[in-house]
């Protein structure tokens, strides 16, 4: 029921002024006191609400999971701890946990068949946890993902060996720490958007990913945009948005 | 002629080993001594080469413009000065210059009819030069653009008044300086990718755009990725890539 | 006419659905293409719209001044240049310009009699331009202001000599560059809110005011909050809000 | 007894020169060796002394609590640990501890009835500990507080649903981490002072709250001033000062 | 034996060319492989070598202590851990450890009678560990020290109550974290050098003492110079050098 | 007349309560509206007030110079421009200006005979302006100064050639930009306090002196304290304080 | 077999087009899923692949060690933990671990006789772990290394005592934390390249090595280039490259 | 005459004690008051002294040029202005000036024939001034240089087309601004040392070269060391040192 419908109904007397006022005021969310769950999110954006588990108190996490599971039949949580997994497993034995990406999920697999193609690339092995957060997020949201790991610029022949797969994707996610040069090299080799994800991998002047972030933001290549350090989820999300657009007539 | 073709022709004796070697070695660029113009760019990426005019010596700029104009029948330069415009106008009287965006171009308008839709939004009036660089870049590359300026979060009703136009776009470009909060608000209101462009507008702790950049990188909203400070061109480029994907069956 | 009234009128048929929709959509601002002047600002916030002149093109500044002068009978611009003043003076001979604070105004003095009391203090002489921006902003918005300049902590007896005046104020504005310690000392001496304004006065490690900003943000004294570097206008604005609350029976 | 009274008494011979000298010299504090408790604080500022518990040695904390409890009949400590609570509970069984805000207090509830209204808003659930420090501080100091949590800009409809309550307050406290855009949006929606509190919530380029601090300091909205990262206490304090001014005829 | 003496002796044949060469080459230090103890330090600088214990391996610390104790009959170590103390106590039962300042020492008290006067001031209670490192260092090196703690600028009357003692000193050490304003206030009140020591006390934008360091470096007061964050030892050292100069005819 | 005297006189009826109150309130400074000249400075600190000329308006500078010249028979200004010199020369033909150090002065030379010894050292030629500000400040305040320029650590033999002069000084001022290593080397070679002055000399990662400042603050040598970048005046001031202490029986 | 050979063989029909294509595509690395081991590295660069052990999962480290040991008969790992050593020791009892440098290795000593000379110098004892990483890396790669530790500039005579050894080297590695001045002093004393390694040794404003890095990057001495903070391995590697060039007729 | 010789002669009475003392004291430099020219530099380091012209006063530059020209028959100055060139040209008509690199020189060409090979690469056209400073410095010091410009990673095929030339060099200089990724890519492709030179080319988050510097310092490739931003001279110097070592039997 959109705004015009509401106004029409007010005019027709089908709904009262108070109801209309309520409509305009009421936000489509679930007030839980400490949180306001956005239950219309999937309708508005095409993506269900996801839980950022890190730092959530047990007493808060359980009802949030419960409420979202009831609504969607699925649950997807990022940055979950082993402890949170164990706790939730007692309630939802079917819940799955990946200790690499720290993703927790109850997924309704049969309804999904990944569409399009997203290439998720990493510079090194240490960047894989962030890359997996991106890849699994995109898969949960319905994209097909190709993983191309350990192709950093210090051994660029490894990247060229996988170039075909990369060039086939609708969107490339470039995950790199240290000097983060992978994004620029990819930007020069593909004609699709590259989402750059700096990671906190490195030491010394890497300053927990700030250096890689600066590298990516300053890239001399075209078609690159950057998300926060270690934000695999954010990269997976926007890559899915782009990938969906690239999937014609689906 | 791709690699396999070349190899086949070597086998058939149609081309010599030297010619093949030359093929593999030779990059598709024009060596000009001080620059290497990428003439195959349009073929590879679907975007013609663009000139970053800022700081280019006159003696370098003229031959670069000449060479690209010969190849493409069009020329598009960013960050051009009034002086560069006057100098080139004597050679190309048809050249156009926009003192707001500092874009210089010879454009072949009849062949273009903007496709899809990109919404370019600014927080304030002072962000318009960067927004115009983004908008005109996207238009040059063939996109239709809707400009929605001065809708910063300090007067958020101005943004809501234009929400329909924003929600219709395939991609939203959010241009903002100072605290740069516009991108987050937009990210929460649309279901398409938002490309955030921090600007150097502001003073004091804005640190020439670093603050706005940090705001955008840290956004709590989904579907946002960020380019360099004042990088309207970069935003227009990636927005065009995304917009093209959203244009079905064109 | 508030939301409920609109809805009632729709119900009564006094206004059409289209008109109501227009009401909800239409923002109370003046669309000028490059700017959206907030004409309802005074009603909503009790403060008329103010012009940040710095960097505004002449062709934009003149119509903005014109429009606001028509609406309010007054105009107040900050960070104006001598050039802007000369240009506007030809149209509005009564316009006034203060080269210290860079404030430009047409003020309707008779209707104003400053209420309450705001104390604006500076650490040194070089902080006066920022302090005057704060003081004159507050005066324009109807506050009475006491100026207490050059009372920095390196000669703290100068501050104590003026303590009575400072302690009488409803709000104290502390303007200081270099190490910015004035705010902390004032915070310990008064029982009213202190609005701290770091200035870009200093050299070397003052980093154009970042050091003073950090000092103020880290203050060990209570009752201090900070605005941007050199943001005299912002300090004058919030000090006026606080001062108004302190003026009983208005 | 103020300065003039002392001088009159010296003249009258009612007090000796030495006593007068002592008066001018003697500071109204309790010398405890490692600390100097400010016992006149409530008289001077209207606020009793509060204990910043973090890092205080047990051997120091106990006598400080004892001394303040004797003087005021109340005790209020921020950033207290569970250990400090357990230790003090053995001496003061009535002491209360809130593990969310880390506030420790012995409060004399009957004498309090919150006056005025302060709205404490958070962008997310993770900002609640800082918001509670602000809210409970304001309540301890005698203000009425409305809590409006999880209304960050990425889902701005949640904020609008609570706008009435926010607009009724004498002062709004905006608590946000990550990109901290909440303060700017609130600044544009209310006509009362907004005290912005950046939090260290976030990761990567949030740099433990520095990004949110910069966002708030650079806000394009009027009527905003900022306190230190995670400084809920400081925000509660200055909000109380402002709220008291808004309470007429008390 | 200085250079001229050596050369004279070479000429007289009293020492061989080899011996002279050895003299010029040989540095007056004890080569221990992993360390080169400077045994002539006291002769050159008037200060015995001191041990920075933090991070020293047990296997290295013991022989260093042994060697210095043999040479000087005293040992003074900074930043020692409880573990290091326990380990050394088994060898030197007379060793003393102060858990506040983390100083470890075997001191030959009878030969010392503090000369001159150094005032060591802190802004708060949490700055005491650094202040004690400064005070005890100065005392070990033979200075008389007056401790004046918890006199931060937020309650400046506490500082004035102790002003006489501060003004009597040959050198003032100002130890402060958070905004570090104490040094500036002291600089304006005394006519002797103030050595400022920023501490890492604080949170949020204090950035582990960087803010306090910047405040002190940018001080508008005269006669202030600054040492590293938490460097109580360094402050005690240079304060002793200055104090010795102020002690006439010793 | 100190506090006790005033109180005695009140008791004796020699001065009225109002006069006494006035005494306690009145600060010993000259109120000039825009500035408060500290006329008791020399009495309190032994140093006359000095003018920081940079950025002072002509209309402010002239009366300040006049007032100080009347009081002291001397004037000393730092960071003066050529223009300020020309303007003041018309009033005071005897005024002197040094374009290297930008010092402006009317000095009463006969009464001065430099005492003690301060060694002012620079790493390079480009550091001389800052060094001269330090040296001339110290000379104006009555110290004898030895200049030792261009002895940076990249050619450390140049430093050793002048070591005797350096070791004779009561205080060493080490002026260096770029990496600023000179202070550490000097700290290891002398047994007197070293005042380190970072300069903004350098480029790239020198960040206008921040790198040199950090080097000096982190020095591993003892007996070093640091002033602000380019703060020759501050170094000259504190060096004079130290030097005076080293001059016995004066 | 280089490119020309392959092309010739295609022409001769000795290899098929598919094989040639495979040749061009196939990178000389071992695909292990989570890693791509560069097995041709020694051929291409003259240096075998080295393992950065830090953060590697046990399940990944074991097969990587196995694969490299099979290929090279040697294994060299940096930043290894005690745990990793214990785990690998069960498989390779001959493996060696140095707890100072955290280097893990199986080395084929008989084939090595260090050539040339690299001098590895440290400023202090705490810099030794990084220096040992550099020294042992260079030794593993076949260089002769001279260790010269604890020769920081605060006691520069210790450095001069070892100058001959330093001047004999083909390359000098300067390892220093805190203010990092050692590199500049060495740069002025030798005529061979100095590789500077900042370390995270220090506290306060050393910012975990950033200060030392800035010092080294800003060095006024010639012939210095810098690697990342604590990057002993990187310094050992490039020093070996330089040293090999200095070894004539090998 | 080395130390031993001097001592022997003292013993033999061939030189007096005073003469010997003078020898040890006297540094081999030319004292010019404001500068100390290092005349023995060429003997010690194999490189003549070079003049950093930027900011040198005319009255200082002329005698320095004169003195060095007399000594060496050559002069080489970096960062010279057009004005300095014109001034010196009147004295030395044979002096040459390159407005791109800002190098000023009187060179004795016939004695030079470049040895070895240094490859100087740039990412873009705007990096050429810094690259030329490096290249011409190396040529002046006797190296053969190959220039390979505009081979940035956004069009990596341009780099591969020139790979042979790069791989032939004894040392590669990688000059790049913006994100500075060129150095890492080169480090992975060659087996000789890569000297990385960040440039201040870029805008926004490039922060005048700091981003490029961080990229290079954090490089994941081996064999890379970095000099200061825009320090072409420094790179040319150390590259020459390395190149000389690679030239066998010269």
């Amino acid at each position: 029921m959109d705004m015009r419908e509401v106004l029409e109904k007010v005019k027709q007397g089908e709904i009262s002024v108070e109801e209309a006022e309520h409509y305009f005021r009421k936000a489509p969310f679930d007030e839980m006191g400490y949180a306001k769950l956005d239950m219309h999110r999937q309708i508005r954006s095409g993506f269900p609400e996801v839980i950022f588990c890190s730092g959530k108190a047990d007493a808060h996490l359980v009802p949030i999971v419960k409420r979202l599971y009831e609504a969607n039949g699925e649950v997807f949580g990022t940055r979950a701890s082993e402890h949170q997994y164990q706790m939730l497993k007692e309630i939802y034995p079917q819940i799955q946990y990946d200790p690499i990406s720290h993703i927790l999920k109850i997924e309704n697999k049969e309804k999904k068949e990944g569409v399009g193609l997203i290439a998720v690339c990493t510079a090194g092995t240490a960047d894989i946890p962030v890359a997996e957060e991106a890849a699994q997020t995109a898969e949960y949201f319905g994209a097909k993902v190709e993983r191309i790991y350990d192709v950093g610029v210090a051994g660029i022949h490894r990247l060229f060996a996988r170039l075909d797969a990369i060039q086939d994707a609708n969107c490339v996610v470039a995950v790199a720490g240290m000097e983060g040069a992978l994004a620029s090299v990819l930007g020069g080799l593909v004609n699709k958007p590259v989402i750059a994800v700096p990671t906190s991998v490195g030491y010394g002047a890497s300053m927990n990913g700030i250096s890689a972030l600066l590298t990516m933001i300053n890239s001399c290549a075209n078609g690159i945009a950057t998300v926060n350090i270690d934000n695999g989820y954010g990269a997976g999300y926007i890559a899915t948005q782009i990938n969906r657009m690239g999937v014609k007539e689906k």
Side-chain angles (χ1 to χ4, degrees), chain A:
Chain A
M1 191 164 68
D2 72 9
M3 184 194 290
R4 180 171 268 261
E5 282 178 281
V6 175
L7 290 170
E8 286 289 359
K9 287 188 176 169
V10 170
K11 193 171 173 189
Q12 308 306 331
E14 292 175 27
I15 63 174
S16 68
V17 166
E18 286 71 25
E19 282 168 332
E21 198 177 1
H22 187 244
Y23 167 84
F24 287 113
R25 290 263 182 247
K26 190 183 162 294
F29 54 79
D30 240 45
E31 175 63 74
M32 301 182 75
Y34 46 85
K36 296 184 173 52
L37 290 190
D38 191 343
M39 306 311 292
H40 285 210
R41 191 178 174 69
Q42 181 136 19
I43 296 160
R44 277 205 336 273
S45 69
F47 293 86
E49 177 116 43
V50 158
I51 310 166
F52 184 80
C53 301
S54 171
K56 285 243 167 16
D58 291 359
H60 292 177
L61 184 59
V62 171
I64 290 174
V65 167
K66 197 168 282 182
R67 187 68 191 82
L68 287 174
Y69 183 61
E70 283 163 15
N72 306 328
E74 292 193 324
V75 168
F76 191 82
T78 60
R79 312 229 171 170
S81 64
E82 177 72 27
H83 162 80
Q84 290 174 326
Y85 166 56
Q86 295 299 345
M87 179 187 67
L88 288 165
K89 201 180 172 181
E90 295 191 12
I91 307 171
Y92 301 100
Q94 75 273 42
I95 206 162
Q96 290 175 302
Y97 181 63
D98 171 21
I100 299 290
S101 65
H102 300 103
I103 282 174
L104 197 72
K105 65 183 169 187
I106 304 175
E107 195 172 6
N108 191 349
K109 285 263 171 84
E110 59 260 44
K111 74 173 189 189
K112 289 183 192 176
E113 183 190 2
V115 300
L117 187 65
I118 295 170
V120 177
C121 308
T122 74
T125 304
D127 302 311
I128 291 177
V130 176
E132 278 299 316
E133 191 182 286
Q136 294 183 32
T137 295
E139 288 171 340
Y140 178 72
F141 289 152
K144 190 169 155 196
V145 173
E146 179 81 19
R147 288 156 171 84
I148 300 159
Y149 291 166
D150 200 18
V151 291
V153 299
I156 209 164
H157 56 288
R158 299 175 301 186
L159 174 61
F160 286 114
R162 300 294 303 276
L163 203 51
D164 285 356
I166 296 170
Q167 289 177 333
D168 285 350
N170 286 319
C171 182
V172 177
V173 176
V175 184
M178 300 180 81
E179 91 276 54
L182 179 63
S184 288
V185 172
L186 283 170
L189 292 171
V190 303
N191 65 358
K192 294 291 169 41
V194 174
I195 301 302
V197 193
T199 71
S200 53
V201 169
Y203 60 89
S206 85
M207 295 186 291
N208 300 314
I210 296 290
S211 287
L213 169 60
L214 289 172
T215 303
M216 288 165 170
I217 284 290
N218 282 292
S219 178
C220 59
N222 292 314
I224 298 179
T226 305
V227 299
N228 198 0
I229 298 161
D230 292 336
N231 188 6
Y233 170 71
Y237 189 102
I238 194 169
T240 304
Q241 287 182 320
I242 294 169
N243 183 51
R244 285 184 185 177
M245 297 177 80
V247 181
K248 315 284 171 175
E249 304 308 290
K250 282 247 156 176

